[in-house]
């Protein structure tokens, strides 16, 4: 965003003649009219950067502009049309459909075949809202060069845009505006006399409130200007601003990519044993409106996946935190979630069970259906006993140390897969030691005839 357009004096300061542009929203009045007026996105629009080179080449190309709301996607598309002297056709995927696409094709054909032979840029806002067939409708016309396609999306185009269309368009990632960018926009609005003087503390609060969204900032400024006029205020103070805005809300997409990026950051902070970072991301999600019950479920998953048997108490604590929240609700129950996330972060880590489970799933999926060995089968009837079901089974409790050394519990002919490999952290240190001792006993038993290490065959009396 940047300043350009007719001056619109702040009405509370002095009288002025009505001007058509005075009735435009502030965001539209300050919309850039040239590439050099754009604030932010210098990683793609700065000298030598890819999108700037596209402008300077004089040859438009189809692209996807991916970024959060209020970062200049529509502005850049309009500037591209101006730079290439192209007809600009805008379609909203929220409100439009195949009819709008058909009309855009007809207008593009008329511009191409007319006396002026003008290029056409078709801009589709929120392109991820179009379904597959609607997106496919653009393909032949992009291929033929009838028009240049520019899509804007707040969602990851890898998931939301058809691969065929995506392969024909460059993807430019736009970033939220920085604090310095947003303060520059406030200064431009003040230069246009669109609002009264503002305390620096109030500007800081406004910038934090906008959270990288220029449109949100400008709309808020416009609302504040009208409220200040009604109350005949000459200055906007931080105290008055806080009263008008109420509790500061952050931009947060509960179902979009930002949501999954944030839960990913929380999970990785817990896995990385950083309690401060884990608390930060937990609070970010709760502050943004994430369902605490969802957060509790994710903590249970973290306890199972990343801590496992290195500290079995972690899973119990996660389940307890879930129960506490169910009983207390917000905000009291959220403290239990915070306690849990700190514990998970500092607990010893092991994904040995997680890896073992996945390895076992992969093995079973590719392996055949091996029969259960006869000595491991249940024998509840006389006939089954006569067929040798359970014959030769060694009841571990009757063996030395409660362990039937040398016994085999896998299907016949199946090699020992070694799914579970405990790590040398937390309780799994002791588990690993125990397994090594048992493996050594098995190895010794292999040198002796089966059944001679002690114990008795109790297949007929032992339960499963």
């Amino acid at each position: 965003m940047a300043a350009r357009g007719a001056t619109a004096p702040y009405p509370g300061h002095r009288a002025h003649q009505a001007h058509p542009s005075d009735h435009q929203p502030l965001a539209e009045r300050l919309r850039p009219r040239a590439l050099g007026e754009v604030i932010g996105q210098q990683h793609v629009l700065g000298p030598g950067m890819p999108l700037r080179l596209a402008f300077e080449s004089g040859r438009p190309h189809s692209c996807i502009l991916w970024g959060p709301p209020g970062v200049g996607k529509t502005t850049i598309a309009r500037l591209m049309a101006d730079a290439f002297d192209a007809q600009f056709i805008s379609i909203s995927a929220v409100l439009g459909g195949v009819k709008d696409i058909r009309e855009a094709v007809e207008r593009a054909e008329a511009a191409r075949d007319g006396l002026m032979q003008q290029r056409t840029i078709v801009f589709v806002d929120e392109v991820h809202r179009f379904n597959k067939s609607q997106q496919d409708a653009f393909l032949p016309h992009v291929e033929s060069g009838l028009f240049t396609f520019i899509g804007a999306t707040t969602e990851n185009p890898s998931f939301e845009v058809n691969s065929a269309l995506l392969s024909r368009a460059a993807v430019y990632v736009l970033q939220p505006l920085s604090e310095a960018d947003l303060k520059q926009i406030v200064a431009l609005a003040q230069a246009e006399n669109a609002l009264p003087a503002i305390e620096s503390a109030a500007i800081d609060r406004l910038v934090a409130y906008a959270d990288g969204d220029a449109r949100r900032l400008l709309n808020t400024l416009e609302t504040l200007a009208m409220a200040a006029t009604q109350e005949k205020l000459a200055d906007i103070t931080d105290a008055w601003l806080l009263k008008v805005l109420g509790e500061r809300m952050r931009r947060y997409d509960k179902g979009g990519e930002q949501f999954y990026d944030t839960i990913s950051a929380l999970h990785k902070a817990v896995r990385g044993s950083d309690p401060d970072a884990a608390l930060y991301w937990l609070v970010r999600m709760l502050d943004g409106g994430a369902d605490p019950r969802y957060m509790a479920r994710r903590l249970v998953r973290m306890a199972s996946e990343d801590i496992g048997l290195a500290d079995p108490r972690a899973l119990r604590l996660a389940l307890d935190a879930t129960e506490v929240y169910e009983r207390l609700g917000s905000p009291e129950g959220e403290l239990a979630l915070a306690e849990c996330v700190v514990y998970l972060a500092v607990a010893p880590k092991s994904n040995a069970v997680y890896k073992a489970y996945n390895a076992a799933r992969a093995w079973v999926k590719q392996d055949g259906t091996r029969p259960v060995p006869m000595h491991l089968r249940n024998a509840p009837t006389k006939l089954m006993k006569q067929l040798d079901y359970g014959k030769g089974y060694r009841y571990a409790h009757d063996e030395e140390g409660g362990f039937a050394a040398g016994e085999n519990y896998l299907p016949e002919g199946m090699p020992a897969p070694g799914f579970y490999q405990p790590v040398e952290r937390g309780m799994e240190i002791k588990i690993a030691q125990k397994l090594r001792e048992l493996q050594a006993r098995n190895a010794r038993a292999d040198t002796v005839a089966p059944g001679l290490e002690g114990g008795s065959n109790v297949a007929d009396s032992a339960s499963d």
Side-chain angles (χ1 to χ4, degrees):
M1 301 294 298
R4 183 63 187 260
T7 299
Y10 172 61
H13 279 218
R14 63 179 184 272
H16 64 286
Q17 273 193 320
H19 190 284
S21 66
D22 293 343
H23 303 291
Q24 289 182 318
L26 182 59
E28 188 62 32
R29 280 152 49 197
L30 297 185
R31 188 181 295 278
R33 302 296 190 265
L35 192 62
E37 297 177 354
V38 176
I39 295 174
Q41 312 309 335
Q42 293 306 296
H43 63 292
V44 293
L45 292 175
M49 294 295 105
L51 198 49
R52 168 64 71 91
L53 294 176
F55 274 83
E56 294 173 348
S57 70
R59 301 182 62 183
H61 62 268
S62 295
C63 61
I64 303 290
L65 303 176
W66 171 28
V71 296
K73 297 186 291 293
T74 302
T75 294
I76 291 173
R78 289 185 178 182
L79 290 176
M80 194 174 291
D82 292 341
F84 302 124
D85 191 26
Q87 173 183 218
F88 184 78
I89 301 175
S90 179
I91 299 174
S92 170
V94 177
L95 304 174
V98 174
K99 177 184 176 183
D100 299 87
I101 299 173
R102 189 181 302 115
E103 290 177 355
V105 170
E106 293 173 355
R107 291 176 59 186
E109 289 174 338
R112 179 196 60 188
D113 300 333
L115 294 176
M116 303 299 293
Q117 294 186 337
Q118 189 180 27
R119 290 169 170 165
T120 296
I121 287 180
V122 175
F123 173 68
V124 181
D125 195 19
E126 303 293 338
V127 64
H128 60 274
R129 298 292 189 94
F130 271 157
N131 59 36
K132 183 179 185 300
S133 62
Q134 289 170 324
Q135 291 185 28
D136 284 344
F138 292 103
L139 288 176
H141 310 296
V142 173
E143 284 280 354
S144 68
L146 175 62
F147 54 70
T148 298
F149 173 85
I150 300 179
T153 178
T154 56
E155 301 295 330
N156 191 328
S158 299
F159 306 128
E160 305 295 341
V161 179
N162 289 355
S163 57
L165 185 58
L166 194 60
S167 67
R168 292 162 174 81
V171 176
Y172 296 107
V173 182
L174 306 186
Q175 303 293 343
L177 272 66
S178 68
E179 290 185 8
D181 293 335
L182 294 173
K183 287 182 178 180
Q184 190 175 348
I185 292 174
V186 174
L188 290 170
Q190 289 179 304
E192 290 286 316
N193 295 320
L195 65 157
I198 307 179
E199 286 183 351
S200 59
I203 293 177
D204 290 340
R205 189 178 300 279
L206 275 171
V207 167
Y209 180 81
D211 201 19
D213 185 334
R215 186 186 302 110
R216 186 180 191 187
L217 173 66
L218 288 168
N219 289 343
T220 304
L221 289 174
E222 197 163 32
T223 300
L224 291 174
M226 290 188 291
T229 301
Q230 292 174 350
E231 297 189 23
K232 299 181 180 179
L233 295 177
D235 301 294
I236 293 178
T237 65
D238 185 51
W240 181 80
L241 178 66
L242 187 60
K243 182 182 72 172
V244 172
L245 291 182
E247 184 179 353
R248 191 178 77 185
M249 298 290 291
R250 287 194 179 276
R251 184 186 69 239
Y252 198 82
D253 181 0
K254 297 181 186 179
E257 185 190 9
Q258 186 187 10
F259 177 90
Y260 295 106
D261 284 347
T262 310
I263 191 62
S264 174
L266 171 60
H267 200 146
K268 290 178 172 65
V270 168
R271 183 182 296 148
S273 300
D274 188 331
D276 286 344
L279 265 178
Y280 169 77
W281 293 116
L282 172 71
V283 174
R284 270 281 300 272
M285 296 200 71
L286 293 174
D287 180 64
D291 185 352
R293 295 174 181 82
Y294 169 82
M295 303 304 299
R297 291 195 298 271
R298 290 303 300 240
L299 294 178
V300 172
R301 168 64 186 258
M302 294 174 204
S304 299
E305 178 180 341
D306 291 294
I307 297 169
L309 293 178
D311 186 351
R313 295 170 298 182
L315 182 56
R316 183 63 262 171
L317 187 66
L319 292 170
D320 287 345
T322 302
E323 183 180 351
V324 168
Y325 181 81
E326 290 290 347
R327 292 196 176 198
L328 297 183
S330 294
E332 292 87 352
E334 291 167 5
L335 181 59
L337 301 183
E339 179 183 343
C340 178
V341 84
V342 170
Y343 187 92
L344 298 184
V346 300
K349 303 298 187 296
S350 171
N351 68 343
V353 173
Y354 178 68
K355 291 171 65 177
Y357 173 68
N358 288 335
R361 287 185 62 192
W363 177 282
V364 169
K365 187 174 182 179
Q366 59 84 32
D367 193 37
T369 304
R370 299 173 184 261
V372 177
M374 294 298 289
H375 71 287
L376 297 181
R377 297 187 186 188
N378 191 25
T381 69
K382 184 177 180 180
L383 174 61
M384 288 179 171
K385 293 176 182 177
Q386 291 174 347
L387 294 175
D388 290 339
Y389 278 43
K391 183 177 181 180
Y393 169 65
R394 298 162 59 194
Y395 190 56
H397 292 291
D398 289 344
E399 304 266 348
E400 181 183 354
F403 178 66
E407 182 66 293
N408 179 41
Y409 298 98
L410 289 169
E412 294 180 10
M414 179 175 169
F419 296 139
Y420 178 54
Q421 300 292 327
V423 301
E424 295 296 323
R425 291 187 293 275
M427 186 173 288
E428 285 200 327
I429 295 175
K430 294 183 178 180
I431 293 174
Q433 292 173 345
K434 177 69 173 179
L435 290 178
R436 284 193 291 268
E437 293 173 4
L438 298 180
Q439 288 167 359
R441 291 186 61 184
N442 280 333
R444 291 195 299 270
D446 287 341
T447 64
V448 185
L452 298 182
E453 276 210 356
S456 60
N457 185 344
V458 288
D460 291 341
S461 60
S463 67
D464 288 19

